[in-house]
Amino acid sequence: KFNLAEDRFWVDNFSPDFNYFVFKEKNGFWSGIVLRPKEGKSPILLKKDLLKIEGSKDLEKFFITSPGFREGEFSDFLLSGQSVRDLKFSRMTSVFVYGWYKGNLIMTTSERAFGEAVNRL
């Protein structure tokens, strides 16, 4: 199993200097994180291991409020012109989204939060 909080994958592959943010909109507050890979690590090299987060039971803990239940599986999606993977939840606007932009890994709990992170990078 892949544990978002404890897995060595994050320590071994990403800089400890990261950005955590909360995006506020009328539908609530949505968390996000922007991680930069360590030197010598690239999205291509990290892709296989990163896919393991999709099986994590910890994804729901990333949300500030309960996202509800998972609906379906992760799928490929284009968001803000970027290829991302997303998983929708039963709460209307709750979706776990992750993808790469300008060499950074962005993980958010809403599509609008992901777009806002892209706009600010």
Side-chain angles (χ1 to χ4, degrees), residues 4 9 14 16 21 28-29 38 42 49 52 65 82 92 95:
L4 282 173
F9 172 75
F14 292 92
F21 64 92
F29 294 89
K38 288 183 175 178
S42 72
D49 286 328
K52 293 178 185 175
T65 59
Q82 304 304 307
M92 187 174 80
V95 58

Side-chain angles (χ1 to χ4, degrees), residues 68-115:
F69 301 101
R70 294 178 185 217
E71 292 188 340
E73 302 292 326
F74 273 87
S75 61
D76 294 314
F77 186 78
L78 271 180
L79 185 60
S80 296
Q82 304 304 307
S83 177
V84 299
R85 300 274 297 161
D86 72 349
L87 174 66
K88 296 190 180 342
F89 287 81
S90 59
R91 184 169 169 217
M92 187 174 80
T93 55
S94 296
V95 58
F96 184 85
V97 181
Y98 74 93
W100 296 91
Y101 182 70
K102 292 187 176 180
N104 296 288
L105 174 63
I106 303 171
M107 296 188 296
T108 67
T109 56
S110 85
E111 293 171 355
R112 290 196 57 208
F114 187 93

Side-chain angles (χ1 to χ4, degrees), residues 23-34:
F23 175 71
K24 179 186 175 196
E25 64 172 351
K26 66 179 180 170
N27 294 328
F29 294 89
W30 308 102
S31 60
I33 191 167
V34 179

Side-chain angles (χ1 to χ4, degrees), residues 16-81:
D17 184 20
F18 62 91
N19 292 301
Y20 177 81
F21 64 92
V22 175
F23 175 71
K24 179 186 175 196
E25 64 172 351
K26 66 179 180 170
N27 294 328
F29 294 89
W30 308 102
S31 60
I33 191 167
V34 179
L35 301 160
R36 178 167 299 285
K38 288 183 175 178
E39 192 167 324
K41 305 292 181 173
S42 72
I44 293 169
L45 294 173
L46 299 173
K47 183 178 182 177
K48 180 181 172 188
D49 286 328
L50 189 57
L51 283 171
K52 293 178 185 175
I53 69 170
E54 295 182 10
S56 174
K57 299 294 184 200
D58 291 339
L59 293 180
E60 288 81 350
K61 294 178 184 176
F62 201 71
F63 290 82
I64 294 172
T65 59
S66 174
F69 301 101
R70 294 178 185 217
E71 292 188 340
E73 302 292 326
F74 273 87
S75 61
D76 294 314
F77 186 78
L78 271 180
L79 185 60
S80 296

